[in-house]
Amino acid sequence: MTDNVLIEVQNLKISFGDLHVIKDLSTTIHKGEKIVVIGPSGSGKSTFLRCLNRLETPNGGKIIFEGHDMTDPKNKLDECRQKMGMVFQHFNLFPHLTVMENITLAPVTLKLKTPEEAKKEAMELLQRIGLPDKAYVYPSTLSGGQKQRIAIVRSLAMHPDVMLFDEPTSALDPEMVGEVLEVMKDLAREGMTMVVVTHEMGFAREVADRVMFMADGYIAEEGTPEQIFQNPSCDRLQQFLKSVL
């Protein structure tokens, strides 16, 4: 499977002052794999995810994405980032731009598409998530679930090789969670490589190829959803599952 490796993380370490958030983390993410990262608050999950596309700068270790060392200052970070879609907890849509402008901004600015091509694809993406009628409204008029679905298709408009989701449903009202998870499940079914930090255990069970349990800055345990949820071996994971299930 080595030729199938998309991201390789080697001995990643990250500290903020005296706080060691990630102590020593190594893992390999393969093309098409769906990885769900779970764990208690403060375990380093979001920091790990943000390190993958270098929104956080590691203090040690390497992140190799498609053969490029993301930690090497000589490498062009922006070119790598174009291939990594990122969806945040709080949507991060530009409030002064319409939905259409939000989706087409990056492909047009980076000259990956003409404005006409970008608009055509944006409409197709909006159709796919059931929101074509929202193309020319501003984000302030949308529900949280609609904003998050649009944030997802904004990333898809760049044709990423991997999608990173940082707690994409945790800021949503409970009745809106399902509509966002449905879009993510569709992506998973289509074979998109995904790394998802989430508290949605049902999603982890249904979609993940591998569940990674983080605690205290390490991967404390990882395995298939069956292994993690039905036969957890470490005490820390057993305690965590008792508190969330």
Side-chain angles (χ1 to χ4, degrees):
M1 252 186 128
T2 46
D3 56 344
N4 213 4
V5 171
L6 195 66
I7 304 173
E8 194 172 346
V9 181
Q10 303 169 351
N11 307 109
L12 188 67
K13 297 175 181 69
I14 187 161
S15 309
F16 301 111
D18 293 335
L19 181 67
H20 299 290
V21 182
I22 292 180
K23 293 166 185 167
D24 187 357
L25 190 154
S26 297
T27 191
T28 304
I29 297 162
H30 293 89
K31 200 167 169 31
E33 199 173 15
K34 285 66 168 165
I35 292 179
V36 176
V37 186
I38 63 171
S41 293
S43 58
K45 307 182 299 293
S46 288
T47 303
F48 162 63
L49 195 77
R50 290 168 67 84
C51 270
L52 291 180
N53 70 351
R54 285 290 317 280
L55 285 174
E56 302 288 0
T57 303
N59 302 83
K62 286 185 175 180
I63 296 157
I64 311 230
F65 172 58
E66 297 187 334
H68 301 283
D69 182 356
M70 301 274 285
T71 49
D72 183 341
K74 292 194 292 289
N75 274 328
K76 291 182 178 164
L77 200 50
D78 286 344
E79 285 180 16
C80 291
R81 278 194 182 133
Q82 283 177 32
K83 297 178 181 178
M84 293 179 136
M86 179 96 187
V87 177
F88 299 89
Q89 188 174 347
H90 292 290
F91 329 126
N92 291 20
L93 296 173
F94 295 113
H96 61 292
L97 300 180
T98 63
V99 165
M100 177 60 78
E101 289 165 338
N102 264 284
I103 298 171
T104 57
L105 180 67
V108 172
T109 306
L110 294 166
K111 298 191 168 34
L112 302 174
K113 288 194 164 72
T114 66
E116 292 67 33
E117 289 167 340
K119 268 187 179 172
K120 181 173 181 287
E121 183 172 31
M123 279 313 287
E124 286 164 4
L125 288 166
L126 287 170
Q127 198 82 43
R128 170 178 169 172
I129 58 165
L131 295 174
D133 55 322
K134 302 296 183 189
Y136 295 100
V137 306
Y138 287 90
S140 60
T141 65
L142 302 169
S143 71
Q146 290 170 334
K147 285 178 190 168
Q148 195 58 295
R149 284 186 281 161
I150 283 157
I152 293 171
V153 299
R154 178 177 62 176
S155 282
L156 289 178
M158 289 295 291
H159 297 275
D161 293 340
V162 60
M163 288 282 284
L164 309 175
F165 292 89
D166 187 10
E167 302 201 11
T169 58
S170 60
L172 298 177
D173 292 334
E175 71 271 19
M176 292 172 188
V177 169
E179 64 194 48
V180 172
L181 292 180
E182 216 39 62
V183 174
M184 292 168 66
K185 286 175 191 173
D186 282 347
L187 282 180
R189 283 190 282 266
E190 287 163 17
M192 174 64 78
T193 310
M194 296 163 73
V195 185
V196 184
V197 171
T198 187
H199 296 289
E200 299 290 336
M201 298 300 143
F203 176 82
R205 278 189 157 132
E206 188 180 335
V207 173
D209 297 311
R210 177 158 46 117
V211 178
M212 205 181 269
F213 171 67
M214 283 186 69
D216 310 315
Y218 297 101
I219 299 173
E221 190 167 341
E222 62 180 326
T224 63
E226 292 72 33
Q227 288 165 332
I228 292 294
F229 292 109
Q230 286 160 24
N231 300 300
S233 58
C234 80
D235 291 346
R236 194 77 185 75
L237 175 54
Q238 290 168 9
Q239 287 163 11
F240 173 75
L241 291 174
K242 271 187 196 139
S243 70
V244 297
L245 293 178

